[in-house]
Amino acid sequence: MNIMLFHSTYGLRPAVRAAADRLREAGHEVWTPDLFEGRTFDDVEEARDFKDEIGKDELLKRAVLAAAPYSDRGLVYTGFSLGAALAQTLALGDEKACGLLLLHGTSDIAENASAEDLPVQLHVAEPDPFEPDDWLSAWYLQMRKTGADVEVYRYAGAGHLYTDPDLPDYDAEAAEATWRTALGFLETL
């Protein structure tokens, strides 16, 4: 598969590169655009401030420009937290999208969005302060309304970005379960 992998608010950190390597080892072609132009963060507040400085519209523009040269190949869009939100927006706007793999995040869904038979897999902590239960329930129903084929996996006790071994949220067991399930999902596409 051709995979467009977007980083979180922390930037293109080693964990994102390691995830891309893991996907490549499984036989996938992977692109990891740097939407922050080289900036990475260890502190979530600094990261959020920088993201807000860039702005939502500019980040989306950067994501679209990164994906555009490859979209004719039929991409699986994926990302971590902020990157998952961007991946979701792009996948729902790309009729050639082959799949959507969301790690730690979702985004609003336009009322007129259509994603007929798009395979979607979401992995999130339970509970997750950025993806509360009522939000996830509404998101799931709205995503199903688009026609997408949706699977949701929740990881009790894990922190928000539990797949990044360099962050306090890291949960090795949940991370391994996520990757095992996600790689299986990609094999079905």
Side-chain angles (χ1 to χ4, degrees):
M1 294 300 327
N2 297 299
I3 299 173
M4 184 63 55
L5 175 61
F6 294 108
H7 60 74
S8 75
T9 301
Y10 288 96
L12 189 54
R13 295 168 47 84
V16 179
R17 296 182 195 280
D21 289 343
R22 189 173 197 158
L23 293 166
R24 288 183 187 108
E25 288 169 12
H28 304 290
E29 189 160 359
V30 183
W31 295 275
T32 55
D34 186 350
L35 305 179
F36 286 1
E37 300 172 335
R39 295 286 307 269
T40 61
F41 300 90
D42 293 320
D43 178 77
V44 70
E45 296 304 322
E46 285 179 31
R48 281 193 200 128
D49 289 347
F50 184 75
K51 172 195 66 117
D52 292 345
E53 222 174 271
I54 294 172
K56 186 177 180 179
D57 290 342
E58 177 62 21
L59 282 172
L60 184 57
K61 177 182 168 186
R62 291 177 186 186
V64 168
L65 290 173
Y70 310 104
S71 63
D72 278 349
R73 299 179 187 200
L75 292 171
V76 174
Y77 291 93
T78 189
F80 296 95
S81 193
L82 166 68
L86 293 167
Q88 177 185 303
T89 300
L90 268 61
L92 293 179
D94 181 353
E95 59 190 36
K96 292 185 179 181
C98 293
L100 176 59
L101 175 59
L102 303 171
L103 303 165
H104 321 294
T106 61
S107 184
D108 294 329
I109 301 169
E111 281 296 321
N112 62 345
S114 176
E116 200 61 41
D117 298 323
L118 179 71
V120 177
Q121 194 173 84
L122 168 65
H123 296 267
V124 291
E126 181 177 33
D128 187 319
F130 302 103
E131 302 290 326
D133 290 344
D134 58 342
W135 167 263
L136 284 174
S137 294
W139 174 87
Y140 176 83
L141 293 172
Q142 186 66 24
M143 187 61 83
R144 293 286 299 160
K145 187 177 168 187
T146 70
D149 181 17
V150 185
E151 299 177 337
V152 177
Y153 294 87
R154 306 286 307 268
Y155 300 88
H160 175 64
L161 272 168
Y162 64 82
T163 58
D164 188 329
D166 297 323
L167 293 176
D169 287 346
Y170 182 62
D171 183 313
E173 187 176 323
E176 274 312 304
T178 294
W179 282 114
R180 192 171 42 255
T181 304
L183 289 169
F185 169 72
L186 292 170
E187 288 301 315
T188 68
L189 305 180

